[in-house]
Amino acid sequence: MSQTPRVLVANRGEIALRIIRACHEEGLEAVAVYSDADRLSPHVRAADVALPIGPPPPGESYLRVDRLLEAARAGGATLVHPGYGFLAERAHFAAAVVGAGLTWVGPPASAITAMGDKTEARRRMQAAGVPIVPGLTLPITEPAAAIGAAEEIGYPVLVKAAAGGGGKGMRVVHRAADLLPALETAASEAQKAFGDASVYLERYVERPRHVEIQVLADHERTVHLGERECSVQRRHQKLVEEAPSAAVAPALRERMGAAAVAAAAAVGYRGAGTCEFLLAADGSFYFLEMNTRIQVEHPVTELVYGVDLVREQLRIAQGQPMRLPRGPLTPRGWALECRITSEDPANGFLPSTGRIEYLRLPAGPGVRWDGGFEAGNEVTLFYDSLLGKVVVWAPDRAEAINRMRRALQELVVTGVATNQAFHLRLLDDPDFQRAAIDSQFLDRRPDLLEGRPPAARIEALAVAAALAEEEARLRRRPRVAEEGGRDTAWRDAGRREGLR
Amino acid sequence: MKYFVTLAGREIPVEVDGGSVTVDGREVEAHLTAVPGTPLRHLLLDGASLTLATEAGEPGEWRLLVHGSRHEIQVVDERTRHIRSLTGGGAARAGLSPLRAPMPGLVVRVLVAPGQAVEPGQGLIVLEAMKMENELRATTAGVVAEIRSAAGQAVEKGQVLVEFAPGAGA
């Protein structure tokens, strides 16, 4: 009797749970790994086998190749899915997995290497005929040389970590005087985040939309699954994603799709990947980078193309063909995703930590929640601030916005602050509603980041607070004391004031 | 009991007398019911339905969460309010709240010096946490009284970083 194949899920949080669900639906078993901080996380409980890999800091657990490989061996896994973040785009991990005789659920290590170094990737894309933003093809080594290079490229320039992603190690510079300090900060952030301080320079395209193309490649063919627009970003961190994009008509989708397929083919890609592009107002587009892994925002593509990308990853890794029909694929309806993070909009979006005391998830027609936390779980500073994603599908964009508003009104998270209220303000914004967005949208709209209670709700809040206070006082004060209530109230008040 | 409720810069009188509630002199039908096993309470205000999550702080301090928005609300009864008006108690006497670290992190830079007047929104401290540099800003106008942190120092959540004295305009 042959054993059911097992997949080691080398990740945590919502993506680990997402992968475990796909494994189970695909008839595979899942081996979870966990740091000491994640002993009770949902992904650990959802897996068939779960193994500890070390203390909470990622460098001592989720980034430890040796412990992950040992967990795969001990758990009887024959496949390894890296998720996103952590080691997902580290070619040496992919190579180590294959070297240990296991199957890597992802592209060949050579494709990760080719795309992982952003400078090298630009060179190869240029050679493959994929349009790229004007800029340096070599990282900056001499700060002094950067001044001349920036003049040549033309301001504004973007300083960007060669090993980067997620907005870390990125700075926009508008004039020569600001270049050297920006290089210094970006390099130091890049060193801390990625262990590699190399940065490069490129032309900064003003007000571009961030549009990315999903590709999927099996042993026989490479296809694209249209675009996702991720223009709503804060400090280069995506907050809201949608598919399709209001700025992409079918003809442009085919051109961008063909460029993404060419990019994937140029590096011998296999599995699921994403080519990120800047889309200018005039319809010109530039390749930014390829993410050689599943992405946070993959569900919006799944909803409009009727595909399960993680299950396709698992099939392709096992040598099976993808289950997508041949011939042209077209998106159906509209999907929207809001990332719910433990960041406090009332406090400059600083991370909020603590125990999730209560969690009520949205439900109903067309709503999907991909999360990695439950009530009782601790949100710590060791990991990413993503708690989960609310994803909705509807026939068109306006309906999707209405459905998302309804879903977000159902969501309740207590114990940690979240950015939920920001999303609700965004959905009510006329510019967002008519898709007048670009990747600098939130920079121009700080009003959306900070909110005040709507005037209509102030009275209800005042009544609720007064009733809650009345109830609390009745509970605090036993009935026998009622006779002396007046005195007690005076005494209480005096005591409180005296102690201030 | 007559309460004065302060939120969003407004003071709203709310009188609660058994089942009868009067807001700003207008009688309303209001019921607040706790949802057992949750921090939720359900408000029916003249039939309008609203679910809130409640967190009680110090006596008279409430944090209400509606659709992810957190509202800080102070509730004082008439007598307490009167005593405060006689003793000059309350916010004016409490002084300006210090800048505290909102999370554990590393102080990267201190942007102000003792004696310096600051405006709301002005950067005070750059704190590194989660591999990002975060600028902590002043919420009100004031004068820096004391810097209680230094560049390179690791700080805990809630630790006081900067103390203030009321400024000319505060």
Side-chain angles (χ1 to χ4, degrees), chain A residues 108-166:
Chain A
S110 57
I112 301 177
T113 305
M115 289 298 187
D117 183 329
K118 309 302 176 199
T119 323
E120 169 66 15
R122 284 165 55 87
R123 255 202 309 271
R124 293 182 75 139
M125 291 305 106
Q126 209 164 13
V130 178
I132 60 164
V133 180
L136 293 182
T137 47
L138 288 173
I140 296 285
T141 44
E142 277 297 306
I147 302 274
E151 292 299 336
E152 218 163 281
I153 293 165
Y155 285 96
V157 295
L158 183 66
V159 181
K160 206 171 161 189

Side-chain angles (χ1 to χ4, degrees), chain A residues 83-271:
Chain A
Y84 56 68
F86 294 130
L87 295 166
E89 289 179 280
R90 294 307 182 93
H92 70 88
F93 183 46
V97 165
V98 173
L102 306 170
T103 301
W104 171 251
V105 184
S110 57
I112 301 177
T113 305
M115 289 298 187
D117 183 329
K118 309 302 176 199
T119 323
E120 169 66 15
R122 284 165 55 87
R123 255 202 309 271
R124 293 182 75 139
M125 291 305 106
Q126 209 164 13
V130 178
I132 60 164
V133 180
L136 293 182
T137 47
L138 288 173
I140 296 285
T141 44
E142 277 297 306
I147 302 274
E151 292 299 336
E152 218 163 281
I153 293 165
Y155 285 96
V157 295
L158 183 66
V159 181
K160 206 171 161 189
K168 281 161 190 153
M170 253 191 212
R171 287 291 182 281
V172 181
V173 180
H174 291 271
R175 50 203 182 99
D178 298 334
L179 186 60
L180 293 183
L183 281 172
E184 204 172 299
T185 316
S188 111
E189 270 186 27
Q191 178 65 43
K192 277 174 208 146
F194 315 109
D196 176 359
S198 336
V199 294
Y200 71 95
L201 287 183
E202 66 182 30
R203 164 81 62 73
Y204 187 58
V205 181
E206 301 245 34
R207 295 205 180 187
R209 286 171 180 264
H210 177 116
V211 175
E212 58 189 32
I213 302 285
Q214 176 71 51
V215 297
L216 197 59
D218 65 13
H219 306 76
E220 194 195 327
R221 55 187 177 133
T222 300
V223 301
H224 75 85
L225 288 160
E227 78 283 3
R228 293 185 283 263
E229 176 160 6
C230 320
S231 293
V232 179
Q233 306 185 354
R234 183 187 164 273
R235 286 184 172 189
H236 300 281
Q237 303 258 30
K238 298 166 186 169
L239 289 169
V240 176
E241 299 100 342
E242 57 189 298
S245 161
V248 178
L252 179 57
R253 179 171 305 129
E254 280 323 303
R255 283 198 292 131
M256 295 184 77
V261 167
V267 296
Y269 205 80
R270 189 70 51 81

Side-chain angles (χ1 to χ4, degrees), chain A residues 58 166-168 171 185 188-189 192-193 235 237 342 344 346-354 357-358 360 380-385 408-418 420-421 424-425 450 452-455 457-473 475-477 485-486 489-490 493-494 496-498 500, chain B residues 1 3 5 7-8 10 12 14 16-18 21 23-24 26 28 30-35 37-41 43 45-46 50-55 58-62 64-71 73-77 79-80 82-84 87 89-91 93-94 102-105 108-109 128-137 157:
Chain A
K168 281 161 190 153
R171 287 291 182 281
T185 316
S188 111
E189 270 186 27
K192 277 174 208 146
R235 286 184 172 189
Q237 303 258 30
S342 53
D344 188 357
N347 199 3
F349 271 77
L350 290 176
S352 170
T353 58
E357 282 161 15
Y358 178 76
R360 186 181 72 180
T380 69
L381 280 176
F382 291 113
Y383 313 114
D384 192 88
S385 60
L408 286 176
Q409 286 174 349
E410 291 181 9
L411 174 69
V412 182
V413 185
T414 71
V416 293
T418 76
Q420 178 186 356
L424 281 163
R425 280 192 294 276
E450 291 162 26
R452 268 157 245 92
R457 193 172 292 148
I458 289 181
E459 184 182 283
L461 288 167
V463 170
L467 289 173
E469 176 70 15
E470 173 90 354
E471 177 200 299
R473 287 184 183 207
R475 222 178 12 211
R476 274 201 299 269
R477 188 167 303 138
R486 172 169 275 262
W490 274 100
R496 263 203 310 277
E497 295 308 297
R500 268 171 197 276
Chain B
M1 181 78 77
Y3 295 103
V5 183
L7 78 149
R10 278 179 62 188
I12 300 162
V14 181
V16 182
D17 183 10
V21 177
V23 187
D24 246 341
R26 187 171 63 87
V28 293
H31 302 281
L32 186 73
T33 312
V35 181
T38 75
L40 304 183
R41 284 170 212 230
L43 177 72
L45 179 59
D46 285 334
L50 185 69
T51 301
L52 318 98
T54 53
E55 294 173 334
E58 297 289 300
E61 308 263 330
W62 290 89
L64 302 185
L65 190 71
V66 183
H67 299 158
S69 291
R70 208 176 233 94
H71 306 285
I73 305 176
Q74 288 83 46
V75 183
V76 293
D77 59 61
R79 295 185 194 102
T80 309
H82 183 60
I83 294 168
R84 283 189 193 172
T87 59
R93 198 161 51 116
M103 58 195 159
V108 180
R109 279 187 294 281
E128 186 192 293
M130 296 184 114
K131 299 176 196 154
M132 297 282 280
E133 294 192 355
N134 304 283
E135 193 174 79
L136 308 182
R137 298 183 179 147
K157 180 176 177 173

Side-chain angles (χ1 to χ4, degrees), chain B residues 95-108:
Chain B
L96 299 172
S97 35
L99 174 74
R100 291 174 186 275
M103 58 195 159
L106 185 73
V107 175
V108 180

